[in-house]
Amino acid sequence: MGDFSLIGKSMKRIDTPLKATGQAQFSSDLMLPRMLIGKVLRSPYAHAKILEIDISKAEKLPGVKAVITAKDTCADKWGVFRYTQDQQFLPTDKVRYVGEEVAAVAAVDEDTAIQALKLIKVEYEELPAVFDMKSALESGAPLIHQDHPGNINIHVNIDVGDVAKGFGESYYVREDTFTAPEDSYFQGEPYAVVAQYDHTGSLEIWMPNAGPHLKAKPLSNVLKIPLNKVRVRKIAIGGAFGGRSEISPADVICAFLARKSQRPVKLVYTREENSIATRQAHSMIATIKTGVNKEGRVISRDITCHMDGGAYSSTGPIAVSVPFLCMEQAYQMDNIRYNGYRVFTNKPIRGMFRTHGRAFACGVDLQLDMIGQELGINPLEMRLRNARKVGEFTPTKSYVASCGMTETILKAGEKASWNEKWGKLPPYHGIGIGCNSVQTGFPMGIRGGSQAFIKFNEEGGITVITGIVDNGQGNDNMIVQIAAEELGLGVCDVQLVNADTEVTPSDPGSYSMCETFIGGNAVRLAAQDAKNKLLKIASEALKASPDELTVKDRKIYIEKSPDKSISLSKVIRIALSRSESISGEGSYWPKVDSKREWVENPSGQLSETFSFGTVITEVKVDPETGKVDVLEVTAAQDVGYALNPKVIEGQFEGGIAMGGQGGMLSEYILWYNGRVLNPDQLDYMVPLAIDMPRINNIIVETIDPNGPYGAKEAGMSIAMSAAQAYCGAICNAIGVDIKEFPLTPDKILNAIEKKQKVKGDEGSE
Amino acid sequence: MKKITLTLKINDEKYEIITYPNRTLLEILRDDLLLTGTKESCGEGACGACTVLLDGLPVRSCLLLVTEAKDCEITTIEGLAKGEKLDPVQESFIEHHAIQCGFCSPGMILTARSLLNHNPAPTEEEIRFAISGNVCRCTGYAKIVEAIQALSNRGRE
Amino acid sequence: MRLPPFEVLEPATLKNALSMLEKHKGKVKIVAGGTEIVGLMKLGLSVPPYILSLRKIKNLQGIKESKGQIIIRSNTTLREIIESSLINDLFKGISQAANLVAAPPIQNRATIGGNIFQNSRCMYYNQSELFRNGLKPCYKAGGVMCRAVKGGNRCFSVYQSDMAPALISFNAKAKLEKSDSSRTILISDLFTGKGENPHSIGENELLTDIIIPIPKGQYSSAYEKLRIRKSLEYPLMSSAVFVSGNMNGEVIDARIVLGAAGSSPKIIDKASKVLKGKKPSNKDIEAASGAVLQFVEVADNLPVPASYRRKMAVIYTKRAIQKALKDLRKDR
């Protein structure tokens, strides 16, 4: 790669001084004059008809300034897709889960708002409810949505090659079923919205989001105001992890309260509301049948996966597809059938999650270990033999333009001393490996591309204007890093205006870590556009052709005789004196197949590029308690090119904590008839500093042909590979394949005891 | 419920407050004094986002009745930097990429500050234990531990 | 989460505190560190009209030695206990227990008195109003049903103090004062065994001192705690062990106390009997720890299954015994 000043360097992130000093403002930190406090009334029933809502007493309580119900939101429905519009922002006919929004108030303070909620009388008629997929699918089960017989929300069917023939040709075939309960996001920052709506009919709103433009459009639809009157503002965001992407009833409720009261309203979710009334990750039952040849190469695979989607569709079609797509990217497979069903139950709504399905990912990977055991091939070798290679197409016809899967397996294996350890560790010690792949974005329709603008001031400093949003992963810094690099500027010369729908152009949002690839490319193009204009003027001044010139350290000079230079500010001033302005514009559209559709046509280029990665975990299991001590984790990931290595390492480490340590050992939602028993931070066990193992990070660079400087997705698939590696290591340590996740100590201990009993029985024979 | 008057000493400044007794220190800091650097995440003492130093020790301000904080020296994240000069812990967190979304950072930084005040040479184990009451969802803690180790007289052992 | 309304009482002397307790009998909750009560009030599970703060009372904190016993005043923080070399030298198990309570920032505020008087917990009870809405109240909430045990005819909430089992293993006593009198009883006698109301203290009484007799001769102690993560959590099961013995490694006296194994700490005499009077072999240790099993009263009301907690009662007791015995053999 070229000689860069900032790119490829672990520069300090531009956003962190504000975060280190408490100056960074998050949505709940905002205070506006005359601001009211909003609160939401939620359903105490999992499934019930709403017969009547009486708000008259609440409205009369002194200090209450607005009360809203479905009457105010006109019973409007929301859905990510036209065919999934099934969730009313406030329901009219019935509630479908405990915690569903029913009404809301805005009052002068929180206590008054809470008191007002108690004065709202809702008459319900309870209906029979279903809390698990099995009961939801039974014939005669209560229907959650009348137009979805059998409570099947989405069915994704993918069928490539000839699966039956593939099994026929296989040397060894096995089928296993894997299950996992729901996960919570547990973003550090609870969901919070601040909205104000003035007499000119325009809305200004702040909330943690993964795409401000994706929030603005549904708000414009439901408020029935032009899109340009919806101003989603930039604000610091305390994590997303796949959540916070779609519109939330909280956004709509807060906007309506602000409109009705004509005062700013702040609505902050409690930790419990955050757990039950934003999104959860799907629980899952995945049955995987795999056939291989003698060498362990997968010939045929048939997967049936049921995902508990809760009460509404949300991002259903995407969520049902992504776990499969990640695996078809990661591993070669010719004959493949996938049937993914998203099932409605009377539980909270499920959405996209960084660790896309423990049961799915661990199922596919752990099964490779089991097959390998049967064939005498070790897990690392099994993965090498099936690894995706550059230049191939996935079964659903995505071209893989860059791929370091094999390299990540080899490098992780070497660093973790796989060959020295596999099969040679002491009793109850284990080592496991997991591989996965994530798409760098996916088709987003008319919002799939990103645009950026750059303008100069008379001193040669710039303002970059882009829709890219930063949820905490460092996107703000990425923008500045790219713009400054391209224009030969210092970090302090760059001002950033982003993630504000009034000012910034369209952008797909921060999904699948696609902002670097899509938004980053747009910023780079904008900078190059501006640079070309600068060089043109400079070439006249320096009497050289533009392609002989270089921009660096706020100067433009002739590359071969660097003493001949002109300062950037001089060039700008020349332009201004000629009544010309210098600005840059860039736009990038990922080359995806626009005809590809999640349910109707799951074939064609899904994403322009894909990341690939491997995690190896070494553990020690206490055979008396089933408790796991994680000794070391090694993560190797093909990130294309590391724009900022330390930022990337942070993504790896966070992914291991969420997907591996938490996802495999301690995180799970517990239930009581549709109620979440652990919505809190005490019993939903997010890993602590003292729990985390030593981590080795290996950045693998394949220089993607289309990524900015070769960069692509960086941290998401690590979360999944980590879950798989943890799972493999524990099963290796105890010599039992557990197929129910997470691997809590009680399950591990039961497995050990069962195995000892079998051994004992065999011994006595 | 009658209102009460109390004086709090926060970041070396005295604040006269008239409020109801059923308020936590966190609510007073954020809602009344607009010291919003202190964050609320769980509200029940299980995450550490609301950490402030009370007489130099990290405590949960969400579990502290405001009346209990009378006569104490309270330090919030706003009180750590001296004018333009950041505290070395803040510098180290920035330098070592120990901050991602930043929501846990104020509490984490204050906890680290207190640890280093009481134990200038903590081991990695001591650091991990000291911050074990502060939940971070983004970083996996590796870089946070590095940032604190860099200030330990022991260095990275 | 908002706190319900209340008035704060801030007596400057113990005498005043006791008369306030008398005056507002049954309507006062005491705030020591506040780490538990504030959370319960936020959930609406405790709605006292008065909060009595111990903050201003002088001399209600501190650790001192007097006449062959150690007196810990009730408002002493766990951090002070952890940092006390006196406690660590004399009562290892107590020191270990304090160090394992929640996480350091909680230890900085939480007091020994508060820890002993912490309420019993249950995943079905310690929930918000939103969770409770639309459900009938359980025994602990004043109703007549149990959500944790189908058809359960009592409350199965779990007393999850770390300090109480460790203190009981040393036969520690509690001094309870009221305006006109005081009494000193064994800490083990503070408990009712009932989940809905685990403590038997009078509404006008205040715990002022924890008195721990310094055992004679050679002795040691240990505390082992089960939790999923390595910090922050309440015990899912715990075991406190005290042993005294002679130079030959023979056990003269032993006390084994389980925590989080029911609605009160459980002294398992049957287990200690196995150890007494002999130099315990591995088999003896297995037998002693196995003996706790029949006394464990657990339900599926914490984040791990009851069956697992039952097994862990045995394992953690075994480990605490081993640790204490190993320490006993060390020369002092």
Side-chain angles (χ1 to χ4, degrees):
Chain A
M1 295 298 285
D3 176 24
F4 296 125
S5 335
L6 294 168
I7 293 294
K9 310 279 192 295
S10 290
M11 66 170 275
K12 293 190 244 179
R13 276 172 55 165
I14 56 150
D15 55 324
T16 49
L18 295 185
K19 289 171 174 175
T21 50
Q23 289 173 329
Q25 282 204 314
F26 294 81
S27 299
S28 64
D29 298 337
L30 292 178
M31 299 283 177
L32 299 174
R34 301 175 71 234
M35 190 172 80
L36 303 173
I37 299 297
K39 278 274 162 195
V40 177
L41 182 72
R42 299 185 178 281
S43 165
Y45 299 111
H47 200 188
K49 272 190 196 157
I50 300 171
L51 302 178
E52 205 190 325
I53 306 177
D54 178 2
I55 59 169
S56 56
K57 278 194 179 146
E59 282 182 315
K60 280 181 203 133
L61 184 72
V64 172
K65 302 298 175 190
V67 183
I68 62 162
T69 64
K71 277 183 193 154
D72 299 88
T73 56
C74 304
D76 271 10
K77 281 185 175 178
W78 154 249
V80 177
F81 302 90
R82 235 173 254 290
Y83 58 90
T84 60
Q85 287 176 352
D86 58 14
Q87 185 187 3
Q88 292 177 316
F89 292 109
L90 286 168
T92 46
D93 57 338
K94 62 176 186 173
V95 288
R96 293 178 173 86
Y97 71 94
V98 175
E100 182 165 0
E101 300 77 11
V102 175
V105 301
V108 290
D109 58 37
E110 196 174 344
D111 286 334
T112 309
I114 292 169
Q115 213 186 329
L117 289 188
K118 291 187 176 149
L119 296 175
I120 299 175
K121 290 283 162 271
V122 186
E123 209 181 309
Y124 295 100
E125 181 190 319
E126 246 191 294
L127 298 168
V130 280
F131 301 122
D132 61 81
M133 290 191 276
K134 193 171 165 283
S135 344
L137 293 171
E138 270 169 15
S139 68
L143 273 194
I144 296 167
H145 294 269
Q146 285 310 319
D147 52 352
H148 282 81
N151 290 319
I152 300 272
N153 168 214
I154 302 284
H155 175 202
V156 171
N157 173 248
I158 292 166
D159 209 328
V160 179
D162 188 335
V163 172
K165 191 161 162 260
F167 285 128
E169 290 165 2
S170 294
Y171 169 75
Y172 174 69
V173 179
R174 69 175 291 148
E175 181 182 303
D176 301 277
T177 296
F178 303 86
T179 64
E182 296 83 354
D183 320 58
S184 271
Y185 295 92
F186 267 84
Q187 298 100 337
E189 176 203 17
Y191 202 77
V193 192
V194 176
Q196 59 180 345
Y197 193 105
D198 61 25
H199 282 294
T200 69
S202 99
L203 172 74
E204 193 173 18
I205 190 164
W206 296 259
M207 85 287 266
N209 67 77
H213 291 279
L214 292 191
K215 291 275 194 181
K217 182 62 178 143
L219 279 167
S220 132
N221 289 351
V222 64
L223 289 160
K224 298 176 179 49
I225 55 173
L227 185 52
N228 60 323
K229 294 280 181 190
V230 179
R231 296 168 296 165
V232 178
R233 294 297 194 208
K234 176 177 178 163
I235 191 84
I237 296 169
F241 312 115
R244 304 181 163 179
S245 50
E246 342 156 34
I247 192 79
S248 157
D251 310 332
V252 172
I253 286 168
C254 201
F256 271 95
L257 288 171
R259 173 148 94 180
K260 203 165 182 179
S261 64
Q262 285 293 310
R263 286 173 69 163
V265 177
K266 174 151 84 176
L267 173 61
V268 182
Y269 273 11
T270 62
R271 179 47 65 183
E272 180 184 30
E273 286 180 302
N274 220 64
S275 293
I276 63 174
T278 59
R279 291 288 182 270
Q280 298 175 342
H282 296 73
S283 68
M284 194 174 280
I285 304 169
T287 299
I288 302 165
K289 184 176 173 185
T290 304
V292 295
N293 67 11
K294 260 189 191 168
E295 287 71 48
R297 282 257 303 143
V298 174
I299 308 281
S300 202
R301 195 174 259 147
D302 189 358
I303 303 174
T304 303
C305 181
H306 285 88
M307 295 169 70
D308 185 339
Y312 296 100
S313 284
S314 178
T315 48
I318 311 176
V320 180
S321 308
V322 169
F324 168 78
L325 296 170
C326 291
M327 280 304 175
E328 71 148 18
Q329 290 154 209
Y331 293 120
Q332 298 167 331
M333 38 185 107
D334 300 328
N335 305 300
I336 172 79
R337 182 159 55 215
Y338 173 61
N339 279 293
Y341 300 91
R342 191 173 186 273
V343 180
F344 282 131
T345 60
N346 291 110
K347 285 162 102 178
I349 310 162
R350 282 67 195 273
M352 308 285 283
F353 186 50
R354 182 193 210 173
T355 309
H356 276 286
R358 294 174 277 193
F360 200 107
C362 297
V364 172
D365 243 32
L366 195 64
Q367 203 182 43
L368 284 183
D369 294 0
M370 300 175 195
I371 293 168
Q373 203 174 344
E374 208 62 38
L375 303 180
I377 305 167
N378 92 44
L380 186 137
E381 187 59 35
M382 279 299 287
R383 282 155 184 82
L384 278 178
R385 291 184 189 181
N386 287 288
R388 173 70 55 213
K389 307 276 188 320
V390 67
E392 293 176 346
F393 280 87
T394 67
T396 64
K397 305 212 166 33
S398 282
Y399 178 71
V400 177
S402 63
C403 175
M405 180 59 102
T406 299
E407 200 181 340
T408 67
I409 298 172
L410 292 172
K411 285 199 165 156
E414 190 183 344
K415 178 76 190 174
S417 307
W418 177 274
N419 288 334
E420 293 77 57
K421 285 176 178 169
W422 175 255
K424 297 164 196 151
L425 290 169
Y428 297 106
H429 280 60
I431 190 163
I433 181 170
C435 298
N436 217 316
S437 163
V438 162
Q439 49 287 151
T440 306
F442 38 70
M444 298 280 287
I446 59 163
R447 266 173 234 109
S450 185
Q451 253 183 303
F453 301 124
I454 289 176
K455 73 166 185 81
F456 280 85
N457 65 27
E458 63 184 64
E459 289 178 350
I462 60 166
T463 302
V464 185
I465 301 159
T466 155
I468 296 173
V469 64
D470 189 331
N471 300 135
Q473 70 275 69
N475 284 339
D476 283 5
N477 192 74
M478 175 269 293
I479 301 165
V480 172
Q481 216 175 339
I482 290 177
E485 179 72 52
E486 287 298 329
L487 290 164
L489 296 170
V491 170
C492 63
D493 300 322
V494 182
Q495 200 59 29
L496 181 60
V497 173
N498 65 320
D500 177 318
T501 59
E502 184 176 39
V503 190
T504 71
S506 187
D507 178 84
S510 179
Y511 308 94
S512 295
M513 309 279 292
C514 72
E515 290 282 41
T516 299
F517 189 86
I518 299 171
N521 260 328
V523 171
R524 193 181 185 196
L525 290 169
Q528 285 170 345
D529 183 34
K531 187 161 76 178
N532 290 339
K533 293 176 189 166
L534 291 172
L535 294 182
K536 193 165 165 277
I537 292 174
S539 69
E540 292 165 21
L542 294 171
K543 301 191 172 52
S545 96
D547 48 15
E548 291 174 78
L549 303 179
T550 294
V551 192
K552 204 161 194 177
D553 301 331
R554 302 185 56 125
K555 263 191 261 175
I556 297 173
Y557 55 88
I558 300 172
E559 195 153 14
K560 285 184 182 155
S561 33
D563 50 322
K564 287 186 186 156
S565 71
I566 181 169
S567 73
L568 263 186
S569 57
K570 186 91 186 281
V571 174
I572 300 290
R573 295 174 83 89
I574 293 172
L576 292 172
S577 67
R578 293 182 187 173
S579 302
E580 281 175 22
S581 71
I582 288 183
S583 63
E585 189 182 333
S587 137
Y588 191 82
W589 281 82
K591 285 149 206 78
V592 297
D593 186 343
S594 61
K595 293 203 183 67
R596 184 173 176 131
E597 206 287 325
W598 301 96
V599 178
E600 290 300 320
N601 181 33
S603 188
Q605 192 72 30
L606 171 73
S607 172
E608 194 168 351
T609 187
F610 307 91
S611 67
F612 299 88
T614 300
V615 173
I616 293 179
T617 300
E618 190 182 343
V619 303
K620 190 173 96 183
V621 174
D622 183 332
E624 285 187 327
T625 63
K627 292 193 73 174
V628 177
D629 218 350
V630 184
L631 305 174
E632 190 176 64
V633 177
T634 302
Q637 170 96 346
D638 163 18
V639 303
Y641 179 69
L643 300 185
N644 187 326
K646 287 272 179 201
V647 166
I648 302 239
E649 285 178 19
Q651 289 297 313
F652 289 12
E653 290 153 357
I656 289 162
M658 189 182 260
Q661 191 76 27
M664 202 33 69
L665 299 178
S666 61
E667 293 188 30
Y668 42 94
I669 298 181
L670 292 159
W671 296 95
Y672 175 70
N673 293 345
R675 284 170 161 77
V676 177
L677 278 171
N678 53 347
D680 56 323
Q681 211 120 18
L682 196 57
D683 290 331
Y684 187 89
M685 289 171 278
V686 170
L688 307 171
I690 199 168
D691 299 310
M692 288 301 296
R694 188 169 72 231
I695 295 171
N696 305 312
N697 300 305
I698 302 168
I699 293 174
V700 171
E701 296 181 327
T702 50
I703 315 298
D704 187 84
N706 303 309
Y709 312 95
K712 55 188 182 183
E713 192 275 335
M716 210 168 106
S717 71
I718 286 286
M720 286 182 267
S721 325
Q724 297 157 214
Y726 269 65
C727 166
I730 294 163
C731 295
N732 176 234
I734 63 173
V736 184
D737 297 316
I738 308 182
K739 301 172 195 173
E740 248 179 79
F741 309 120
L743 300 179
T744 50
D746 53 299
K747 274 188 228 158
I748 295 172
L749 187 63
N750 283 341
I752 293 172
E753 286 173 351
K754 220 167 142 189
K755 193 185 175 188
Q756 282 169 346
K757 195 165 172 289
V758 171
K759 255 190 176 167
D761 290 349
E762 279 169 2
S764 65
E765 273 166 22
Chain B
M1 203 173 25
K2 275 196 302 236
K3 280 198 170 177
I4 53 168
T5 306
L6 60 124
T7 307
L8 292 180
K9 200 169 167 205
I10 305 164
N11 304 331
D12 294 327
E13 271 183 67
K14 278 194 175 165
Y15 294 84
E16 283 275 332
I17 292 152
I18 301 169
T19 187
Y20 289 107
N22 66 340
R23 307 284 304 277
T24 61
L25 175 62
L26 176 63
E27 289 169 340
I28 297 293
L29 291 175
R30 287 182 58 80
D31 302 343
D32 294 34
L33 306 178
L34 305 187
L35 290 166
T36 52
T38 308
K39 304 299 175 198
E40 175 163 19
S41 181
C42 78
E44 56 178 7
C47 79
C50 67
T51 301
V52 300
L53 302 186
L54 198 72
D55 293 331
L57 290 179
V59 301
R60 314 296 215 204
S61 64
C62 75
L63 293 183
L64 195 66
L65 297 181
V66 65
T67 50
E68 295 291 290
K70 286 189 274 188
D71 309 322
C72 297
E73 299 275 347
I74 299 160
T75 309
T76 70
I77 192 69
E78 289 89 350
L80 216 51
K82 297 288 167 255
E84 289 185 41
K85 179 104 187 76
L86 297 190
D87 186 273
V89 178
Q90 293 170 316
E91 295 275 15
S92 190
F93 269 59
I94 294 166
E95 177 73 36
H96 288 87
H97 285 250
I99 300 171
Q100 287 189 25
C101 88
F103 206 79
C104 74
S105 306
M108 195 70 88
I109 287 169
L110 286 168
T111 305
R113 177 72 273 162
S114 174
L115 167 71
L116 291 163
N117 288 348
H118 290 89
N119 176 4
T123 61
E124 181 182 341
E125 204 182 340
E126 285 168 336
I127 292 168
R128 288 188 183 269
F129 179 62
I131 62 168
S132 71
N134 294 69
V135 176
C136 170
R137 192 54 158 163
C138 298
T139 65
Y141 307 98
K143 306 234 175 308
I144 293 174
V145 173
E146 278 171 33
I148 303 171
Q149 270 183 311
L151 298 173
S152 168
N153 290 345
R154 200 177 291 270
R156 282 190 73 183
E157 282 180 357
Chain C
M1 284 187 287
R2 302 284 295 177
L3 287 165
F6 52 76
E7 207 173 292
V8 176
L9 307 172
E10 295 185 308
T13 64
L14 182 58
K15 201 171 160 235
N16 277 346
L18 297 175
S19 66
M20 283 172 178
L21 274 182
E22 188 69 52
K23 185 178 166 197
H24 303 293
K25 210 151 95 177
K27 292 187 210 148
V28 197
K29 285 281 177 195
I30 292 159
V31 163
T35 51
E36 188 201 22
I37 183 71
V38 175
L40 289 175
M41 287 195 292
K42 281 186 175 183
L43 292 174
L45 294 173
S46 183
V47 194
Y50 297 96
I51 284 292
L52 188 142
S53 165
L54 302 178
R55 182 177 70 89
K56 280 186 170 173
I57 304 173
K58 288 198 182 70
N59 305 326
L60 206 56
Q61 274 180 298
I63 300 165
K64 65 171 187 212
E65 189 171 356
S66 161
K67 298 175 199 158
Q69 50 194 21
I70 298 292
I71 299 169
I72 307 177
R73 303 236 71 196
S74 62
N75 208 27
T76 306
T77 64
L78 297 180
R79 183 186 177 99
E80 290 170 80
I81 291 170
I82 293 162
E83 286 179 348
S84 160
S85 53
L86 200 57
I87 300 290
N88 194 37
D89 288 347
L90 292 170
F91 316 117
K92 275 217 163 46
I94 294 174
S95 192
Q96 287 162 2
N99 207 26
L100 288 170
V101 172
I106 302 281
Q107 296 162 356
N108 291 338
R109 284 294 301 172
T111 66
I112 189 164
N115 191 282
I116 292 169
F117 278 106
Q118 76 183 41
N119 208 333
S120 55
R121 303 178 78 256
C122 168
M123 283 187 78
Y124 299 90
Y125 172 78
N126 293 79
Q127 293 291 354
S128 70
E129 211 173 303
L130 172 58
F131 181 96
R132 301 195 298 270
N133 275 346
L135 292 178
K136 286 187 193 124
C138 68
Y139 284 110
K140 196 165 171 70
V144 288
M145 56 96 62
C146 174
R147 251 179 273 289
V149 177
K150 226 178 178 179
N153 56 358
R154 63 181 178 87
C155 174
F156 287 85
S157 62
V158 189
Y159 178 67
Q160 289 179 284
S161 160
D162 287 298
M163 298 311 292
L167 289 165
I168 293 170
S169 75
F170 277 96
N171 270 338
K173 285 175 275 189
K175 186 178 180 193
L176 303 167
E177 297 192 43
K178 53 184 176 181
S179 53
D180 53 358
S181 63
S182 74
R183 59 177 176 139
T184 299
I185 61 169
L186 284 170
I187 289 182
S188 54
D189 289 339
L190 278 176
F191 297 92
T192 62
K194 290 194 179 112
E196 54 274 36
N197 185 17
H199 296 96
S200 65
I201 186 169
E203 284 173 336
N204 52 356
E205 282 182 314
L206 182 72
L207 170 72
T208 52
D209 288 315
I210 316 306
I211 303 154
I212 318 168
I214 302 169
K216 306 258 181 320
Q218 198 156 335
Y219 67 92
S220 66
S221 61
Y223 180 75
E224 288 281 313
K225 164 176 181 168
L226 167 70
R227 54 182 166 185
I228 299 297
R229 293 175 295 177
K230 290 182 182 146
S231 186
L232 206 54
E233 292 162 24
Y234 286 95
L236 298 165
M237 180 58 65
S238 70
S239 187
V241 169
F242 164 84
V243 284
S244 69
N246 59 27
M247 299 306 282
N248 307 326
E250 206 177 307
V251 172
I252 296 167
D253 198 7
R255 247 181 326 277
I256 292 167
V257 188
L258 290 186
S263 298
S264 65
K266 297 189 181 296
I267 307 174
I268 316 289
D269 286 331
K270 196 176 161 189
S272 29
K273 262 189 208 146
V274 180
L275 301 177
K276 280 187 213 172
K278 60 178 94 132
K279 205 173 151 181
S281 64
N282 282 343
K283 226 173 172 179
D284 295 326
I285 296 170
E286 296 272 350
S289 37
V292 307
L293 199 55
Q294 71 179 99
F295 301 96
V296 176
E297 288 179 286
V298 290
D300 283 323
N301 56 1
L302 296 181
V304 293
S307 54
Y308 178 68
R309 289 169 56 213
R310 203 180 286 279
K311 288 177 200 166
M312 290 308 102
V314 176
I315 299 298
Y316 280 75
T317 301
K318 181 175 88 178
R319 291 184 178 184
I321 296 173
Q322 282 168 338
K323 200 156 120 187
L325 286 177
K326 194 174 161 202
D327 199 44
L328 183 67
R329 286 185 212 111
K330 274 192 198 146
D331 274 343
R332 284 173 184 274

